[in-house]
Amino acid sequence: MAFEPLSDEDWNRLVHLFPVNHARRYGRHPWNPRDVLNAILWVLTQNERWHHLPAGMPPAQTCYIKYLQWRRLGIVAKIAETLEIHLE
């Protein structure tokens, strides 16, 4: 099954789950949460491994760490409920 990235409509239903943090003054520029979420959804829906992420997606380690953080905060469950898909 081919993976379809989040549509603008789906992203607009989820964007409120990802607060914008402008206080960052050091380190690398953070990845766009939509790009990270698309990568996470690719791994979970394709039943693939993190290190097999296609080129052009954020780094696997970044996506995996965000997945763990968002799962712990309950954001992954809210995403699955909003999109009406089974994750995890």
Side-chain angles (χ1 to χ4, degrees):
M1 174 170 77
F3 174 75
E4 292 290 325
L6 287 172
S7 66
D8 290 339
E9 180 182 328
D10 286 339
W11 176 246
N12 287 332
R13 291 172 32 205
L14 299 171
V15 71
H16 70 279
L17 298 173
F18 305 95
V20 178
N21 185 359
H22 296 292
R24 192 173 181 95
R25 295 183 191 183
Y26 56 89
R28 296 179 186 205
H29 184 72
W31 281 89
N32 181 329
R34 184 176 182 172
D35 294 336
V36 174
L37 180 56
N38 275 322
I40 291 169
L41 292 173
W42 182 85
V43 168
L44 298 178
T45 60
Q46 301 300 304
N47 198 26
E48 279 286 353
R49 295 179 182 252
W50 294 99
H51 63 276
H52 289 159
L53 280 170
M57 289 193 169
Q61 185 175 359
T62 299
C63 296
Y64 180 66
I65 290 169
K66 282 297 182 188
Y67 168 70
L68 293 176
Q69 290 172 346
W70 293 345
R71 189 177 69 178
R72 185 178 57 243
L73 294 171
I75 295 173
V76 172
K78 291 176 186 173
I79 291 167
E81 181 181 327
T82 302
L83 298 178
E84 298 176 356
I85 56 177
H86 177 70
L87 299 177
E88 299 183 84

